[in-house]
Amino acid sequence: DIQMTQSPSSVSASVGDRVTITCRASQGFSTWLAWYQQKPGRAPKLLIYDASSLHSGVPSRFSGSGSGTDFTLTISSLQPEDFGTYYCQQSSSFPRTFGQGTKVEVK
Amino acid sequence: EVQLVESGGGLVQPGRSLRLSCAGSGFTFADNAISWVRQAPGEGLEWVGLIRSQTYGGTIQYAASVRRRFTISRDDSKSIAYLQMDSLKTEDTAVYYCNRNFGNYFDSWGQGTLVTVSS
């Protein structure tokens, strides 16, 4: 199985700050990676797929990059509504696996 | 509007069975693979399994933790997918989400249904 490791586990930042979350895979797989946002008590939402493609309706302040084993989600200017937990997920092989999550708090 | 609605969750004793349903609307259900993902209380996301569309043979993949205990199926005439869970364990306690596959990713999710396995 491919293990996905996210860092940091949590981050607290102010409105307008640039926030970066990283995801490292235990083995390389090109760009078969997605990022999801989950708010408490809600289902996750797809933000980014294929490592860098913005899903429909997702604000352009979200961006993704990377390939192989190292991936990054960037929020260019943090907004109050961006609080929640962010997960990376690989779709290179079965079983699909998620990172452990990064909790984002807006100060 | 794409919608997925899970149902069938509840409290069940260890070793017993439960069947979850996932009803889709607002899209051509038969054209899409459907996945199940679960989330234990206070924990992260765990992929459970996937059933492909009939176009791709309706084949199924499972996580090792549920293989031989859980069975995924679909009835495209009703736009419903099912998760049959047998021999339930306390560690199966979680919110279970179904979702529509967008290529290899999960783009539309249901609201989730809570399964509690406890004596």
Side-chain angles (χ1 to χ4, degrees), chain A residues 23-83:
Chain A
C23 179
R24 175 162 287 178
S26 60
Q27 53 186 278
F29 53 71
S30 185
T31 57
W32 296 107
L33 185 107
W35 291 95
Y36 300 85
Q37 176 197 61
Q38 185 180 32
K39 297 190 175 183
R42 305 293 298 274
K45 288 186 175 181
L46 177 64
L47 299 175
I48 302 284
Y49 63 95
D50 289 345
S52 61
S53 295
L54 195 67
H55 188 51
S56 175
V58 176
S60 59
R61 63 181 179 274
F62 291 93
S63 65
S65 64
S67 68
T69 59
D70 295 308
F71 300 88
T72 299
L73 173 70
T74 299
I75 309 172
S76 61
S77 178
L78 191 69
Q79 298 301 301
E81 62 267 30
D82 296 337
F83 74 93

Side-chain angles (χ1 to χ4, degrees), chain A residues 1-2 4 32 89-98, chain B residues 35-37 45-50 52 61-63 101 103-106:
Chain A
D1 298 3
I2 298 177
M4 307 301 294
W32 296 107
Q89 174 249 323
Q90 64 82 18
S91 283
S92 170
S93 64
F94 290 101
R96 305 305 196 209
T97 47
F98 292 88
Chain B
S35 290
W36 290 89
V37 173
L45 302 170
E46 180 187 15
W47 178 81
V48 172
L50 160 154
R52 296 182 179 86
Q61 301 276 356
Y62 295 102
N101 281 31
N104 290 315
Y105 307 103
F106 316 131

Side-chain angles (χ1 to χ4, degrees), chain B residues 43-119:
Chain B
E43 301 295 324
L45 302 170
E46 180 187 15
W47 178 81
V48 172
L50 160 154
I51 183 165
R52 296 182 179 86
S53 66
Q54 291 304 323
T55 300
Y56 293 92
T59 53
I60 303 168
Q61 301 276 356
Y62 295 102
S65 58
V66 306
R67 195 173 294 133
R68 288 182 289 278
R69 297 189 301 122
F70 289 12
T71 303
I72 299 174
S73 60
R74 63 190 298 158
D75 184 341
D76 290 338
S77 69
K78 297 180 180 178
S79 297
I80 299 178
Y82 301 98
L83 179 64
Q84 175 68 40
M85 304 184 293
D86 299 324
S87 303
L88 281 161
K89 306 175 181 180
T90 55
E91 53 262 41
D92 295 318
T93 294
V95 173
Y96 285 74
Y97 297 100
C98 65
N99 52 66
R100 180 182 75 164
N101 281 31
F102 169 69
N104 290 315
Y105 307 103
F106 316 131
D107 76 328
S108 297
W109 298 60
Q111 83 288 353
T113 188
L114 175 63
V115 173
T116 303
V117 184
S118 174
S119 54

